[in-house]
Amino acid sequence: MKLLVINGPNINFLGIREKEVYGKENFEYLLNLLKEKAQKEAVFINTYQSNCEGDIINRIQEAYFDGTEGIIINPGAYTHYSYAIRDALASIEVPKIEVHISNVHKREEFRHVSVTAPVCTGQIVGLGLQGYILAIDAIIKILNDSNKY
């Protein structure tokens, strides 16, 4: 099973920016968490981070060709206005889970709307870095259940 975790703008600054919102753990901690989960579940997890919208779109499109079976994405601020990322996600027919570290519904009003969530299988918000682990579990279950038929 091959999964892709995409992190958008400023996620590479975990542990540096707004620790009261995003926690004290840094980006390297997140990458290690994902690596440990991949080993435990015997799946391949490719990680990607970019602060650039076009690069994220290019990586989503690349997933179409590279055998990616599920996508976990934290689009960062692009969540709220990137119809281009939304369209790229819509073009890939694999399970997709949108993850947000903070509870966006308890924050500024502009964060309450996601233009990318409607083209995702599901959304996990406000559970910190654990949201990524839950998203992996969800995609594994979706893929395993779909293989039963």
Side-chain angles (χ1 to χ4, degrees):
M1 192 173 294
K2 184 176 180 180
L3 308 180
L4 171 62
V5 177
I6 299 174
N7 283 292
N10 299 311
I11 306 301
N12 60 316
F13 256 43
L14 287 176
I16 298 170
R17 67 184 284 239
E18 301 175 275
K19 293 177 189 174
E20 66 284 356
V21 175
Y22 300 104
K24 298 176 193 170
E25 303 297 349
N26 64 21
F27 186 61
E28 192 66 32
Y29 178 88
L30 172 59
L31 295 178
N32 287 330
L33 188 69
L34 296 170
K35 183 178 178 181
E36 289 172 13
K37 180 66 172 173
Q39 290 171 345
K40 179 181 177 191
E41 300 297 336
V43 299
F44 177 76
I45 298 177
N46 191 356
T47 59
Y48 181 79
Q49 189 280 325
S50 179
N51 295 316
C52 302
E53 184 179 30
D55 292 342
I56 293 169
I57 293 162
N58 288 340
R59 185 60 188 96
I60 293 167
Q61 290 178 355
E62 185 181 316
Y64 177 82
F65 298 103
D66 72 7
T68 294
E69 298 172 83
I71 297 174
I72 295 151
I73 184 165
N74 182 341
Y78 290 132
T79 301
H80 316 294
Y81 64 88
S82 180
Y83 292 99
I85 290 175
R86 179 235 176 263
D87 290 348
L89 288 168
S91 68
I92 307 293
E93 292 185 13
V94 298
K96 299 170 288 277
I97 307 287
E98 182 176 293
V99 172
H100 295 285
I101 297 165
S102 69
N103 184 343
V104 293
H105 304 291
K106 287 186 167 185
R107 298 185 62 199
E108 303 93 341
E109 192 167 329
F110 77 89
R111 295 185 195 275
H112 298 183
V113 175
S114 170
V115 300
T116 50
V119 297
C120 289
T121 309
Q123 183 187 56
I124 299 171
V125 302
L127 299 177
L129 300 182
Q130 183 64 23
Y132 288 87
I133 302 304
L134 295 171
I136 292 166
D137 289 340
I139 288 182
I140 290 171
K141 178 160 182 20
I142 290 165
L143 291 172
N144 284 337
D145 287 353
S146 71
N147 289 333
K148 290 180 183 177
Y149 305 104

